[in-house]
Amino acid sequence: NQRLQEMLRTMCRARGARLCPIDERYCIDNGAMIAQAGWEMLRVGQVTALGDSGVTQRYRTDEVEVTWRD
């Protein structure tokens, strides 16, 4: 989605990061992206108890606390 990429690019620039979108033919499985983010969180010991977890459909990408990146 071009509009989403524009928004993400803006957020990245504001934070000194660079957006690296993947080729459209690979943008079919959000589950794989969620799994990767989960792996990165687990790798650094960031674990959420099942009872404390939930689903938020309108979660904004600029509200995500990234703790697994140097």
Side-chain angles (χ1 to χ4, degrees):
N1 177 313
Q2 292 300 320
R3 176 64 183 132
L4 178 58
Q5 284 187 28
E6 287 173 27
M7 291 167 58
L8 290 171
R9 239 181 228 99
T10 299
M11 287 186 280
C12 287
R13 257 188 241 113
R15 290 162 177 79
R18 182 174 55 113
L19 179 66
C20 301
I22 62 172
D23 189 293
E24 264 185 49
R25 56 194 164 155
Y26 301 115
C27 294
I28 57 171
D29 188 357
N30 285 340
M33 291 182 264
I34 293 167
Q36 181 65 37
W39 165 251
E40 296 296 341
M41 293 169 73
L42 180 63
R43 185 177 60 80
V44 297
Q46 183 179 346
V47 178
T48 303
L50 185 57
D52 295 333
S53 64
V55 176
T56 305
Q57 289 181 327
R58 301 221 181 258
Y59 202 73
R60 293 178 47 100
T61 55
D62 60 342
E63 292 176 350
V64 176
E65 181 181 3
V66 176
T67 58
W68 61 85
R69 196 177 111 185
D70 296 331

